[in-house]
Amino acid sequence: MNSETETSLHESLRDNVRLLGDSLGRTIAKDLGSEFVDRIERIRALAKKGRQSAEEADRRELIDYLRALPEQELLPVTRAFNQFLNFSNIAEQHYRARFRRVEDYKPGTQPDLGELLHRAASSGHSPRQLVDAIADMRIDLVLTAHPTEVIRRTLIQKYDAIDHCLQIIETSADHPEVLQRAHGRLEELIAQSWHTDEIRHERPTPVDEAKWGFAVIENSLWEAVPTFHRDLDTLLMETAGERLPLEASPIRFASWMGGDRDGNPNVTASVTEEVLLLGRWMAADLYLRDLEQLKAELSMWKASDALRAEIGDDPERDSRQAAEPYRALLKRLSTRLEATRAWSRARLDGEPPGDAPIIETREQLFAPLLTCYRSLCDVGLETIANGVLLDTLRRVAVFGVNLAKLDVRQDGARHGQVFEELTQYLGIGHYQDWDEPARQAFLLEELASPRPLIPSRWACSAETREVLATFGVIGREHRQALGTYVISMAQQPSDVLAVALLMKEAGNGVRLPIAPLFETLDDLDRAGDVIERLLALPGYREVAGDHQEVMIGYSDSAKDAGQLAAAWAQYRAQERLVEVCREGDVSLTLFHGRGGTVGRGGGPAHAAILSQPPGSVNGSLRVTEQGEMIRFKFGQPDIALRSMEIYVCAVLEATLLPPPAPQPVWREEMDRLAGIAHRAYVGVVREDPDFVSYFRAVTPEGALGRLPLGSRPAKRRQEGGIETLRAIPWIFAWTQTRLMLPAWLGSGEAFSQRLEEDGGLDRLREMREQWPFFGTYLDMLEMLLAKSDPLIAAYYENRLVDDPALTRLGESLRQRLVDLEAVLLRILDQRQLLENTPLIHQAIEVRNPYIDPLHGLQAELLQRNRDADGDITPELTRALMVTMAGIAAGLRNTG
């Protein structure tokens, strides 16, 4: 793309930001008066002036102005800046959807599937290999309910409608009446947004979260999936001369919403069952809409003998059925789908479900549609076959009859508790006192035993009863509705065997894939050995077959060890797991538990996948999509389309054209860098006696619990200190102050020490240029540092900290951040951050004058809240929560 075109695109983005901002200004003026709007503009101007000036007095002018605001204006001021930042995001999302710029984090790196197919063909891969590679690809995008989406669903719907108005305005220059209506509708939607409370009054329930996930499928992915497959078919026809097989679905969707019970007491067996039924109900409803369109369109009479035999066609008995055979078959299918929808509804309402035949499997829905498709092709009507009928077939292949497979996640300690109670009840000892070989022997013996182990009338604890009830739900549900059983904090082979035995005993013998989740630094280092011992156990392969799934935890490992040490541990763990499974002749799927932020393994998907160890992808990948990232990547059809292309492109490239293995000298370098970084991180977070006090004093961590983001508590255990805090609020709190500490602490010491040594700079630059893992790490660190701001972090300290020891710690941390930036720029050979990433640089620069006032107001409100011992007015409490939402919106991430 040439510079002139690039400038034009940026102007389009700026025009839309200005259009939405002007409309918001008019809306606020009508509500609160033009003088209030002038005050908002004055605050923005002061923030911009403070950014551009090196004088402390200029920055102080903004703070003094904010602190002098009347109390009754604090809430509307925070709302005004929050709304503008959300509207800026709408404009940017619109820009990215229109110009296919979903991952424009570095110019020249936009993944293009067509270009990749040609490159793969040029490198010696045959057309057959290309088609097979995509047809056999298995990418599971797992939508999770991690509480990082700060925007209410009702506002998201209004924001989507605003985006639609922008589309009309941009394409209606020659139709003034259409343009006028679109501008009128835009004003209406912005007024609706301003007059809607942006903060939820109650936490969503797990079922609410699942409904939100299903809504993303209904409103965006339902349209995007068949469009994506049409585009893929076109590319394959151009490159390989054939379409993707009808049954193929390179990308599928799974969900944790309603299945993730790790640390969330609100997710119960009954909730899981309700969510499964909701998925069945909504799927039936969506497919019925498709069938109505198909019945309207497939009115032709030419049909194959196979189709006529399927419907039992007898022209003398039923002339209409003979004249419209496709409609006859589709009507029969509609009747079963209507029965399925009614059955699901009755189950949800606690009523008798009736006995009419229902659709229970993907095949029962796919087969009749495939019969229609083949018939149309057999009689020469391929054009019709490859229309809306093919779209529906693609949907069935991807979404099945439940829309998204539901994963179940539970802490491994809960399974151990079940067997501890059970062994005591049976009088055979204390399971939790046994060593690992004894546990394995017991579990393997019971897995092979035909007799039941769990007594039918066992009066166990409520906690154990809930675990068994969950397996009961799994056992009653059809296998196709369920995904993977994930074990949090897995540490030993017995953790996996325990779940396998519970499936046998309480889950009706079902065999789901079981994925141990390795999260801490120690667990990652031992992951390969654990899986090696597991695969070597006699009898385990009979349970697991020839496939093993392993989940890699990004969030907790970074919180435990620091980002640099965690990233290297994750890389090494994957290498070892690939080696172990290859030697054991077992296929491996790695499940990446990434978050939205750099501190939780987030970043552009294409770069992240290509930075994995060679052989670790191999056509199969699972990855979590969390919180606000679901909306950013899949909330609109055009964005979802591009996101799916990026995933397929990255997995295909990693499979057919994998990155080179790191040179031994690079591995030695990373071992050393990670060791230095880990020691520096632990020295602050674990060993500095003032750190916990500093964290709680300078961040809004204590107030985050009142922000009703999701159904899950902020802590795994309500007692205890920072070690019990989940990774999301840990990241969220540091993001709010712009210190961004979890994503960089320790890196500066590691790089600085290396640069002081001969050849250090050359080695780091070599690794950056030639090793995707290290290059991507530096890119993400650069992006993170560009969003950080030591001056803002200093203001929080000045307002909220009065202990000299804490102040000294804060000064030390901010100096580390400044030093790291200088070191990174030297490695990158740049004068400023994001020098080669203009779009992201521009987005941050544009937003800062609107985020800065929210930081100032948040620190002020936090201090007032503490002075009042948490007893501030509801309006100020709401204002505090709005500042959190606004800062998150401005930085485009929370946790």
Side-chain angles (χ1 to χ4, degrees):
M1 183 177 296
N2 61 47
S3 59
E4 184 177 336
T5 303
E6 190 77 22
T7 300
S8 175
L9 297 185
H10 287 184
E11 288 176 353
S12 170
L13 173 57
R14 285 194 295 268
D15 288 344
N16 281 333
V17 171
R18 189 178 302 112
L19 173 66
L20 298 177
D22 290 346
S23 179
L24 176 62
R26 290 190 293 272
T27 297
I28 295 175
K30 290 179 183 177
D31 185 33
L32 300 174
S34 58
E35 289 184 1
F36 182 81
V37 176
D38 293 341
R39 199 162 296 141
I40 295 297
E41 179 56 29
R42 171 67 174 159
I43 294 171
R44 190 195 69 81
L46 289 173
K48 189 173 183 180
K49 177 182 176 182
R51 278 275 163 186
Q52 296 171 343
S53 172
E55 298 297 326
E56 171 65 24
D58 290 330
R59 293 192 294 271
R60 187 70 206 179
E61 192 176 355
L62 169 65
I63 298 303
D64 290 341
Y65 190 92
L66 292 173
R67 294 186 68 177
L69 287 173
E71 185 169 299
Q72 67 272 18
E73 289 192 359
L74 292 179
L75 177 57
V77 167
T78 60
R79 295 192 65 238
F81 283 99
N82 173 59
Q83 285 286 17
F84 181 85
L85 289 165
N86 279 304
F87 291 150
S88 295
N89 286 344
I90 294 171
E92 186 174 318
Q93 283 287 93
H94 178 78
Y95 163 87
R96 290 177 179 273
R98 184 181 177 193
F99 300 111
R100 295 171 59 80
R101 307 295 289 274
V102 175
E103 288 208 348
D104 187 24
Y105 86 102
K106 184 184 287 188
T109 62
Q110 286 286 91
D112 183 281
L113 187 55
E115 185 275 331
L116 174 61
L117 288 171
H118 287 294
R119 183 152 50 95
S122 300
S123 68
H125 293 281
S126 68
R128 178 78 266 149
Q129 287 176 314
L130 296 180
V131 174
D132 288 346
I134 296 179
D136 295 338
M137 191 179 290
R138 288 295 176 267
I139 304 172
D140 277 358
L141 303 180
V142 185
L143 310 180
T144 79
H146 285 60
T148 63
E149 174 57 88
V150 296
I151 299 178
R152 293 180 60 198
R153 182 177 166 189
T154 186
L155 280 171
I156 290 172
Q157 293 168 341
K158 297 182 194 304
Y159 293 166
D160 288 344
I162 289 172
D163 177 82
H164 182 62
C165 287
L166 293 179
Q167 294 178 27
I168 297 173
I169 289 169
E170 289 177 341
T171 57
S172 303
D174 297 330
H175 302 279
E177 69 284 355
V178 175
L179 198 61
Q180 184 177 4
R181 287 197 298 271
H183 277 288
R185 176 62 173 160
L186 185 67
E187 293 278 322
E188 177 190 354
L189 288 165
I190 287 177
Q192 289 180 13
S193 300
W194 174 251
H195 291 284
T196 298
D197 192 346
E198 53 275 272
I199 302 297
R200 301 180 183 97
H201 292 283
E202 296 178 354
R203 286 188 178 275
T205 68
V207 174
D208 292 333
E209 292 168 333
K211 288 178 179 177
W212 181 80
F214 290 144
V216 172
I217 294 177
E218 177 183 12
N219 298 327
S220 176
L221 291 171
W222 197 254
E223 175 186 338
V225 160
T227 305
F228 168 72
H229 284 87
R230 283 178 176 273
D231 293 347
L232 190 55
D233 278 345
T234 299
L235 287 173
L236 288 175
M237 287 295 291
E238 293 173 353
T239 308
E242 62 178 280
R243 296 176 182 273
L244 194 69
L246 295 176
E247 299 85 356
S249 52
I251 290 182
R252 294 189 184 184
F253 295 89
S255 174
W256 277 12
M257 301 180 187
D260 180 12
R261 60 235 317 119
D262 175 25
N264 189 348
N266 300 308
V267 179
T268 62
S270 61
V271 164
T272 297
E273 188 167 30
E274 182 177 356
V275 168
L276 286 164
L277 288 169
L278 279 170
R280 289 287 295 276
W281 182 90
M282 181 167 280
D285 191 64
L286 289 171
Y287 286 125
L288 280 168
R289 299 180 205 176
D290 275 22
L291 290 188
E292 286 303 308
Q293 182 180 2
L294 286 172
K295 284 188 287 185
E297 296 197 10
L298 299 187
S299 55
M300 55 290 309
W301 57 269
K302 292 176 66 177
S304 66
D305 292 341
L307 174 61
R308 295 190 181 278
E310 177 78 14
I311 62 174
D313 186 14
D314 183 352
E316 294 182 0
R317 188 187 65 201
D318 191 341
S319 59
R320 178 161 185 180
Q321 184 167 286
E324 297 180 337
Y326 299 94
R327 285 178 168 173
L329 185 54
L330 292 171
K331 183 178 180 181
R332 185 185 304 171
L333 185 58
S334 292
T335 300
R336 290 195 68 178
L337 274 171
E338 287 168 353
T340 304
R341 184 173 61 180
W343 173 87
S344 303
R345 184 73 266 168
R347 290 279 307 279
L348 286 165
D349 293 340
E351 299 174 355
D355 55 4
I358 63 172
I359 300 289
E360 296 186 88
T361 67
R362 185 190 311 262
E363 292 70 28
Q364 290 172 335
L365 184 55
F366 193 86
L369 297 170
L370 182 60
T371 299
C372 291
Y373 182 89
R374 288 175 173 167
S375 173
L376 290 167
C377 292
D378 289 346
V379 298
L381 300 178
E382 294 91 347
T383 301
I384 298 173
N386 291 317
V388 294
L389 176 57
L390 179 58
D391 288 348
T392 301
L393 281 165
R394 296 297 192 196
R395 288 181 179 123
V396 175
V398 171
F399 297 117
V401 297
N402 284 79
L403 295 185
K405 289 191 173 187
L406 186 66
D407 284 1
V408 175
R409 183 169 75 138
Q410 180 61 280
D411 192 313
R414 293 291 299 275
H415 309 131
Q417 179 185 345
V418 172
F419 287 109
E420 170 66 16
E421 289 188 32
L422 183 59
T423 53
Q424 284 191 60
Y425 178 81
L426 296 175
I428 57 176
H430 289 269
Y431 178 85
Q432 291 181 340
D433 291 340
W434 296 347
D435 60 16
E436 178 63 14
R439 292 185 185 188
Q440 292 178 17
F442 167 73
L443 296 168
L444 287 169
E445 180 181 354
E446 294 302 330
L447 275 168
S449 173
R451 61 164 174 73
L453 172 66
I454 300 177
S456 58
R457 297 185 179 181
W458 177 30
C460 56
S461 69
E463 291 81 4
T464 290
R465 179 61 57 197
E466 177 58 38
V467 172
L468 296 177
T470 296
F471 282 96
V473 171
I474 292 173
R476 292 191 297 273
E477 186 56 61
H478 196 280
R479 173 66 185 81
Q480 289 183 2
L482 299 163
T484 296
Y485 195 105
V486 180
I487 310 168
S488 295
M489 295 297 175
Q491 297 178 323
Q492 298 289 350
S494 61
D495 290 320
V496 178
L497 297 176
V499 172
L501 183 54
L502 287 170
M503 286 183 183
K504 169 180 175 283
E505 293 292 329
N508 198 29
V510 69
R511 291 185 176 180
L512 301 183
I514 303 171
L517 167 54
F518 298 103
E519 300 176 81
T520 68
L521 186 63
D522 287 344
D523 290 343
L524 286 168
D525 287 341
R526 295 186 301 101
D529 292 338
V530 170
I531 297 301
E532 184 175 40
R533 286 187 285 136
L534 180 67
L535 296 179
L537 291 174
Y540 175 69
R541 293 288 285 273
E542 294 179 15
V543 175
D546 295 325
H547 180 261
Q548 181 64 51
E549 189 172 315
V550 178
M551 187 168 183
I552 302 294
Y554 287 74
S555 304
D556 284 293
S557 58
K559 178 172 175 281
D560 175 56
Q563 180 66 16
L564 180 58
W568 182 230
Q570 292 149 11
Y571 190 96
R572 294 196 319 271
Q574 292 179 65
E575 284 185 316
R576 178 79 174 110
L577 288 165
V578 169
E579 176 188 3
V580 164
C581 289
R582 185 186 296 120
E583 291 175 352
D585 196 26
V586 170
S587 64
L588 170 68
T589 294
L590 286 168
F591 185 179
H592 299 270
R594 296 181 179 273
T597 59
V598 174
R600 297 182 56 239
H606 186 260
I609 292 170
L610 292 181
S611 68
Q612 303 306 311
S616 64
V617 177
N618 200 26
S620 178
L621 176 79
R622 297 192 100 222
V623 62
T624 53
E625 295 289 359
Q626 302 182 2
E628 78 275 12
M629 302 313 297
I630 297 174
R631 177 165 51 90
F632 289 161
K633 291 184 179 181
F634 305 105
Q636 297 176 11
D638 288 340
I639 289 284
L641 190 66
R642 178 62 177 145
S643 296
M644 288 187 285
E645 180 187 358
I646 287 168
Y647 269 110
V648 168
C649 193
V651 170
L652 185 65
E653 184 169 357
T655 301
L656 299 182
L657 305 170
Q663 297 179 18
V665 67
W666 298 347
R667 301 182 63 85
E668 294 173 7
E669 192 76 52
M670 278 306 304
D671 284 340
R672 186 177 177 196
L673 291 171
I676 297 169
H678 182 225
R679 286 191 293 274
Y681 179 87
V682 170
V684 173
V685 174
R686 305 285 183 193
E687 298 173 358
D688 191 310
D690 295 319
F691 179 77
V692 173
S693 298
Y694 174 81
F695 170 67
R696 289 188 166 144
V698 83
T699 74
E701 178 261 341
L704 280 174
R706 294 205 301 272
L707 191 61
L709 296 183
S711 67
R712 196 169 67 171
K715 292 184 177 182
R716 280 192 167 89
R717 300 188 307 276
Q718 292 312 299
E719 72 280 0
I722 195 173
E723 72 281 356
T724 68
L725 194 68
R726 288 186 173 275
I728 290 170
W730 165 250
I731 296 286
F732 198 139
W734 289 112
T735 301
Q736 292 283 302
T737 69
R738 299 289 281 275
L739 193 58
M740 311 288 195
L741 178 139
W744 59 262
L745 183 60
S747 300
E749 287 78 1
F751 294 143
S752 295
Q753 185 168 326
R754 192 64 183 96
L755 291 183
E756 292 174 358
E757 301 166 353
D758 291 341
L761 179 60
D762 291 339
R763 177 70 69 207
L764 293 177
R765 287 180 175 175
E766 173 189 275
M767 292 164 62
R768 186 205 177 205
E769 294 297 325
Q770 299 180 30
W771 189 14
F773 164 77
F774 192 70
T776 298
Y777 177 81
L778 293 186
D779 288 341
M780 296 304 99
L781 187 59
E782 180 187 14
M783 196 184 309
L784 184 282
L785 292 184
K787 290 184 177 183
S788 66
D789 193 317
L791 292 177
I792 287 177
Y795 174 68
Y796 278 84
E797 290 172 23
N798 293 336
R799 188 71 184 100
L800 299 169
V801 175
D802 55 12
D803 184 334
L806 302 189
T807 300
R808 285 193 296 272
L809 175 58
E811 291 172 349
S812 168
L813 293 174
R814 286 185 282 109
Q815 188 59 50
R816 290 179 190 230
L817 177 60
V818 172
D819 294 343
L820 172 58
E821 180 177 333
V823 168
L824 182 62
L825 288 174
R826 187 178 172 198
I827 297 171
L828 299 178
D829 193 20
Q830 294 175 191
R831 289 172 297 177
Q832 64 177 11
L833 296 171
L834 300 181
E835 194 172 285
N836 300 311
T837 318
L839 182 62
I840 293 180
H841 184 269
Q842 179 198 32
I844 294 172
E845 290 297 308
V846 167
R847 284 171 169 80
N848 275 332
Y850 297 90
I851 307 175
D852 290 355
L854 291 174
H855 286 299
L857 289 165
Q858 183 179 94
E860 180 65 24
L861 289 164
L862 283 171
Q863 186 58 52
R864 294 191 189 188
N865 185 54
R866 291 172 187 178
D867 290 342
D869 197 22
D871 191 25
I872 57 176
T873 67
E875 289 75 16
L876 292 186
T877 299
R878 182 180 166 201
L880 176 58
M881 291 192 286
V882 172
T883 65
M884 296 182 199
I887 292 167
L891 296 174
R892 284 183 67 92
N893 53 47
T894 52

